[in-house]
PDB file of all heavy atoms in Angstrom:
ATOM      1  N   PHE A 558      82.320  92.629  85.110  1.00  0.00           N
ATOM      2  CA  PHE A 558      81.524  91.410  85.157  1.00  0.00           C
ATOM      3  C   PHE A 558      81.421  90.835  86.575  1.00  0.00           C
ATOM      4  O   PHE A 558      80.380  90.328  86.974  1.00  0.00           O
ATOM      5  CB  PHE A 558      82.136  90.362  84.212  1.00  0.00           C
ATOM      6  CG  PHE A 558      81.407  89.057  84.205  1.00  0.00           C
ATOM      7  CD1 PHE A 558      80.142  88.953  83.653  1.00  0.00           C
ATOM      8  CD2 PHE A 558      81.971  87.925  84.764  1.00  0.00           C
ATOM      9  CE1 PHE A 558      79.456  87.748  83.641  1.00  0.00           C
ATOM     10  CE2 PHE A 558      81.308  86.717  84.765  1.00  0.00           C
ATOM     11  CZ  PHE A 558      80.042  86.631  84.199  1.00  0.00           C
ATOM     12  N   ALA A 559      82.503  90.927  87.356  1.00  0.00           N
ATOM     13  CA  ALA A 559      82.483  90.343  88.700  1.00  0.00           C
ATOM     14  C   ALA A 559      81.381  90.945  89.564  1.00  0.00           C
ATOM     15  O   ALA A 559      80.849  90.281  90.461  1.00  0.00           O
ATOM     16  CB  ALA A 559      83.841  90.525  89.376  1.00  0.00           C
ATOM     17  N   GLY A 560      81.022  92.208  89.318  1.00  0.00           N
ATOM     18  CA  GLY A 560      79.964  92.842  90.098  1.00  0.00           C
ATOM     19  C   GLY A 560      78.595  92.257  89.855  1.00  0.00           C
ATOM     20  O   GLY A 560      77.679  92.492  90.653  1.00  0.00           O
ATOM     21  N   LEU A 561      78.418  91.501  88.764  1.00  0.00           N
ATOM     22  CA  LEU A 561      77.125  90.877  88.478  1.00  0.00           C
ATOM     23  C   LEU A 561      76.951  89.552  89.197  1.00  0.00           C
ATOM     24  O   LEU A 561      75.831  89.031  89.267  1.00  0.00           O
ATOM     25  CB  LEU A 561      76.974  90.651  86.966  1.00  0.00           C
ATOM     26  CG  LEU A 561      77.118  91.870  86.053  1.00  0.00           C
ATOM     27  CD1 LEU A 561      76.924  91.460  84.591  1.00  0.00           C
ATOM     28  CD2 LEU A 561      76.117  92.942  86.432  1.00  0.00           C
ATOM     29  N   LEU A 562      78.023  88.991  89.720  1.00  0.00           N
ATOM     30  CA  LEU A 562      77.958  87.669  90.343  1.00  0.00           C
ATOM     31  C   LEU A 562      77.377  87.772  91.748  1.00  0.00           C
ATOM     32  O   LEU A 562      77.523  88.787  92.425  1.00  0.00           O
ATOM     33  CB  LEU A 562      79.353  87.048  90.390  1.00  0.00           C
ATOM     34  CG  LEU A 562      80.044  86.885  89.036  1.00  0.00           C
ATOM     35  CD1 LEU A 562      81.452  86.323  89.224  1.00  0.00           C
ATOM     36  CD2 LEU A 562      79.234  85.971  88.129  1.00  0.00           C
ATOM     37  N   PRO A 563      76.728  86.712  92.230  1.00  0.00           N
ATOM     38  CA  PRO A 563      76.155  86.736  93.585  1.00  0.00           C
ATOM     39  C   PRO A 563      77.244  86.903  94.637  1.00  0.00           C
ATOM     40  O   PRO A 563      78.410  86.555  94.400  1.00  0.00           O
ATOM     41  CB  PRO A 563      75.478  85.361  93.699  1.00  0.00           C
ATOM     42  CG  PRO A 563      75.319  84.869  92.302  1.00  0.00           C
ATOM     43  CD  PRO A 563      76.441  85.457  91.526  1.00  0.00           C
ATOM     44  N   PRO A 564      76.909  87.442  95.801  1.00  0.00           N
ATOM     45  CA  PRO A 564      77.915  87.575  96.874  1.00  0.00           C
ATOM     46  C   PRO A 564      78.468  86.206  97.269  1.00  0.00           C
ATOM     47  O   PRO A 564      77.779  85.184  97.187  1.00  0.00           O
ATOM     48  CB  PRO A 564      77.119  88.203  98.032  1.00  0.00           C
ATOM     49  CG  PRO A 564      75.928  88.845  97.383  1.00  0.00           C
ATOM     50  CD  PRO A 564      75.600  87.998  96.192  1.00  0.00           C
ATOM     51  N   MET A 565      79.712  86.176  97.702  1.00  0.00           N
ATOM     52  CA  MET A 565      80.357  84.931  98.102  1.00  0.00           C
ATOM     53  C   MET A 565      79.885  84.523  99.495  1.00  0.00           C
ATOM     54  O   MET A 565      79.756  85.364 100.384  1.00  0.00           O
ATOM     55  CB  MET A 565      81.875  85.095  98.117  1.00  0.00           C
ATOM     56  CG  MET A 565      82.473  85.499  96.794  1.00  0.00           C
ATOM     57  SD  MET A 565      84.267  85.806  96.904  1.00  0.00           S
ATOM     58  CE  MET A 565      84.890  84.145  96.881  1.00  0.00           C
ATOM     59  N   ASP A 566      79.625  83.223  99.671  1.00  0.00           N
ATOM     60  CA  ASP A 566      79.362  82.742 101.024  1.00  0.00           C
ATOM     61  C   ASP A 566      80.705  82.499 101.731  1.00  0.00           C
ATOM     62  O   ASP A 566      81.779  82.665 101.150  1.00  0.00           O
ATOM     63  CB  ASP A 566      78.488  81.489 101.018  1.00  0.00           C
ATOM     64  CG  ASP A 566      79.115  80.323 100.266  1.00  0.00           C
ATOM     65  OD1 ASP A 566      80.357  80.206 100.274  1.00  0.00           O
ATOM     66  OD2 ASP A 566      78.369  79.521  99.661  1.00  0.00           O
ATOM     67  N   VAL A 567      80.641  82.098 103.000  1.00  0.00           N
ATOM     68  CA  VAL A 567      81.861  81.990 103.802  1.00  0.00           C
ATOM     69  C   VAL A 567      82.808  80.947 103.228  1.00  0.00           C
ATOM     70  O   VAL A 567      84.021  81.160 103.137  1.00  0.00           O
ATOM     71  CB  VAL A 567      81.506  81.664 105.268  1.00  0.00           C
ATOM     72  CG1 VAL A 567      82.784  81.398 106.075  1.00  0.00           C
ATOM     73  CG2 VAL A 567      80.730  82.812 105.892  1.00  0.00           C
ATOM     74  N   GLN A 568      82.272  79.791 102.818  1.00  0.00           N
ATOM     75  CA  GLN A 568      83.135  78.736 102.301  1.00  0.00           C
ATOM     76  C   GLN A 568      83.794  79.139 100.995  1.00  0.00           C
ATOM     77  O   GLN A 568      84.974  78.861 100.776  1.00  0.00           O
ATOM     78  CB  GLN A 568      82.325  77.438 102.112  1.00  0.00           C
ATOM     79  CG  GLN A 568      81.896  76.798 103.414  1.00  0.00           C
ATOM     80  CD  GLN A 568      83.075  76.513 104.341  1.00  0.00           C
ATOM     81  OE1 GLN A 568      84.110  76.007 103.918  1.00  0.00           O
ATOM     82  NE2 GLN A 568      82.919  76.839 105.616  1.00  0.00           N
ATOM     83  N   GLU A 569      83.048  79.790 100.104  1.00  0.00           N
ATOM     84  CA  GLU A 569      83.640  80.265  98.850  1.00  0.00           C
ATOM     85  C   GLU A 569      84.726  81.299  99.128  1.00  0.00           C
ATOM     86  O   GLU A 569      85.812  81.270  98.522  1.00  0.00           O
ATOM     87  CB  GLU A 569      82.558  80.873  97.963  1.00  0.00           C
ATOM     88  CG  GLU A 569      81.599  79.874  97.365  1.00  0.00           C
ATOM     89  CD  GLU A 569      80.485  80.545  96.564  1.00  0.00           C
ATOM     90  OE1 GLU A 569      80.203  81.733  96.819  1.00  0.00           O
ATOM     91  OE2 GLU A 569      79.899  79.882  95.696  1.00  0.00           O
ATOM     92  N   ALA A 570      84.446  82.225 100.057  1.00  0.00           N
ATOM     93  CA  ALA A 570      85.430  83.255 100.381  1.00  0.00           C
ATOM     94  C   ALA A 570      86.687  82.637 100.994  1.00  0.00           C
ATOM     95  O   ALA A 570      87.808  83.059 100.691  1.00  0.00           O
ATOM     96  CB  ALA A 570      84.819  84.279 101.337  1.00  0.00           C
ATOM     97  N   LEU A 571      86.508  81.621 101.852  1.00  0.00           N
ATOM     98  CA  LEU A 571      87.659  80.976 102.473  1.00  0.00           C
ATOM     99  C   LEU A 571      88.533  80.283 101.443  1.00  0.00           C
ATOM    100  O   LEU A 571      89.765  80.407 101.475  1.00  0.00           O
ATOM    101  CB  LEU A 571      87.181  79.952 103.510  1.00  0.00           C
ATOM    102  CG  LEU A 571      86.968  80.448 104.938  1.00  0.00           C
ATOM    103  CD1 LEU A 571      86.434  79.324 105.810  1.00  0.00           C
ATOM    104  CD2 LEU A 571      88.257  81.004 105.519  1.00  0.00           C
ATOM    105  N   GLN A 572      87.904  79.562 100.518  1.00  0.00           N
ATOM    106  CA  GLN A 572      88.698  78.828  99.535  1.00  0.00           C
ATOM    107  C   GLN A 572      89.403  79.774  98.581  1.00  0.00           C
ATOM    108  O   GLN A 572      90.577  79.570  98.231  1.00  0.00           O
ATOM    109  CB  GLN A 572      87.818  77.841  98.774  1.00  0.00           C
ATOM    110  CG  GLN A 572      88.592  76.741  98.087  1.00  0.00           C
ATOM    111  CD  GLN A 572      87.710  75.605  97.623  1.00  0.00           C
ATOM    112  OE1 GLN A 572      86.588  75.822  97.168  1.00  0.00           O
ATOM    113  NE2 GLN A 572      88.203  74.391  97.714  1.00  0.00           N
ATOM    114  N   SER A 573      88.712  80.828  98.163  1.00  0.00           N
ATOM    115  CA  SER A 573      89.337  81.806  97.273  1.00  0.00           C
ATOM    116  C   SER A 573      90.498  82.504  97.978  1.00  0.00           C
ATOM    117  O   SER A 573      91.582  82.688  97.403  1.00  0.00           O
ATOM    118  CB  SER A 573      88.296  82.830  96.817  1.00  0.00           C
ATOM    119  OG  SER A 573      88.885  83.858  96.048  1.00  0.00           O
ATOM    120  N   ALA A 574      90.286  82.882  99.237  1.00  0.00           N
ATOM    121  CA  ALA A 574      91.347  83.557  99.985  1.00  0.00           C
ATOM    122  C   ALA A 574      92.514  82.618 100.277  1.00  0.00           C
ATOM    123  O   ALA A 574      93.669  83.053 100.316  1.00  0.00           O
ATOM    124  CB  ALA A 574      90.785  84.121 101.288  1.00  0.00           C
ATOM    125  N   ALA A 575      92.229  81.321 100.482  1.00  0.00           N
ATOM    126  CA  ALA A 575      93.300  80.365 100.760  1.00  0.00           C
ATOM    127  C   ALA A 575      94.235  80.231  99.567  1.00  0.00           C
ATOM    128  O   ALA A 575      95.461  80.124  99.727  1.00  0.00           O
ATOM    129  CB  ALA A 575      92.710  79.009 101.133  1.00  0.00           C
ATOM    130  N   VAL A 576      93.690  80.242  98.357  1.00  0.00           N
ATOM    131  CA  VAL A 576      94.539  80.172  97.162  1.00  0.00           C
ATOM    132  C   VAL A 576      95.399  81.430  97.060  1.00  0.00           C
ATOM    133  O   VAL A 576      96.596  81.362  96.769  1.00  0.00           O
ATOM    134  CB  VAL A 576      93.685  79.993  95.893  1.00  0.00           C
ATOM    135  CG1 VAL A 576      94.568  79.985  94.655  1.00  0.00           C
ATOM    136  CG2 VAL A 576      92.875  78.717  95.959  1.00  0.00           C
ATOM    137  N   ALA A 577      94.784  82.599  97.293  1.00  0.00           N
ATOM    138  CA  ALA A 577      95.553  83.842  97.247  1.00  0.00           C
ATOM    139  C   ALA A 577      96.635  83.859  98.328  1.00  0.00           C
ATOM    140  O   ALA A 577      97.758  84.322  98.092  1.00  0.00           O
ATOM    141  CB  ALA A 577      94.619  85.040  97.425  1.00  0.00           C
ATOM    142  N   SER A 578      96.318  83.329  99.508  1.00  0.00           N
ATOM    143  CA  SER A 578      97.309  83.262 100.589  1.00  0.00           C
ATOM    144  C   SER A 578      98.464  82.350 100.209  1.00  0.00           C
ATOM    145  O   SER A 578      99.626  82.636 100.521  1.00  0.00           O
ATOM    146  CB  SER A 578      96.643  82.764 101.874  1.00  0.00           C
ATOM    147  OG  SER A 578      97.584  82.538 102.891  1.00  0.00           O
TER     148      SER A 578
END
Side-chain angles (χ1 to χ4, degrees):
F558 179 70
L561 304 181
L562 302 177
M565 301 176 79
D566 60 32
V567 174
Q568 291 304 315
E569 289 176 337
L571 271 177
Q572 199 166 38
S573 175
V576 177
S578 173

